[in-house]
Amino acid sequence: MPEIARFYGIVIKLFFGDHPPPHFHAVYGEYVGLFNIDTLEMIEGDLPNRAKDLIIEWAAINKEEMKKMWEKQEFHKLPPLE
């Protein structure tokens, strides 16, 4: 699963052969979350609220680019949250 971003100990990954809806994975230590790219809702996972908030903030900035990557199945690194 390609890593597309890393910030504050959070790793964001995107896997193209995965099931719909378009989504990304976030890993923070032993915690994981699965987020819908369109709604930014956490579909499943156990992330702490602070990490979840940072991920949603980052995803709102990069939403359109992630949608393009999912559709074209071409990935590249995205900038971290600053």
Side-chain angles (χ1 to χ4, degrees):
M1 194 175 318
E3 179 182 313
I4 60 170
R6 182 182 292 254
F7 53 91
Y8 302 119
I10 299 166
V11 178
I12 307 294
K13 298 179 178 187
L14 197 59
F15 182 65
F16 306 120
D18 221 343
H19 56 86
H23 63 278
F24 64 92
H25 298 255
V27 179
Y28 179 62
E30 73 263 15
Y31 303 102
V32 295
L34 188 74
F35 290 81
N36 182 310
I37 293 174
D38 291 320
T39 66
L40 304 183
E41 171 190 12
M42 188 166 76
I43 301 167
E44 60 184 67
D46 61 350
L47 289 161
N49 286 334
R50 179 69 179 132
K52 188 169 107 173
D53 291 345
L54 290 170
I55 292 162
I56 291 170
E57 181 181 347
W58 175 86
I61 295 166
N62 294 287
K63 180 178 179 175
E64 293 305 315
E65 196 60 34
M66 283 192 293
K67 285 169 79 170
K68 287 179 192 174
M69 281 194 267
W70 183 277
E71 290 167 7
K72 293 182 179 184
Q73 297 192 12
E74 296 175 358
F75 86 96
H76 58 275
K77 296 278 187 177
L78 295 174
L81 187 63
E82 301 204 16

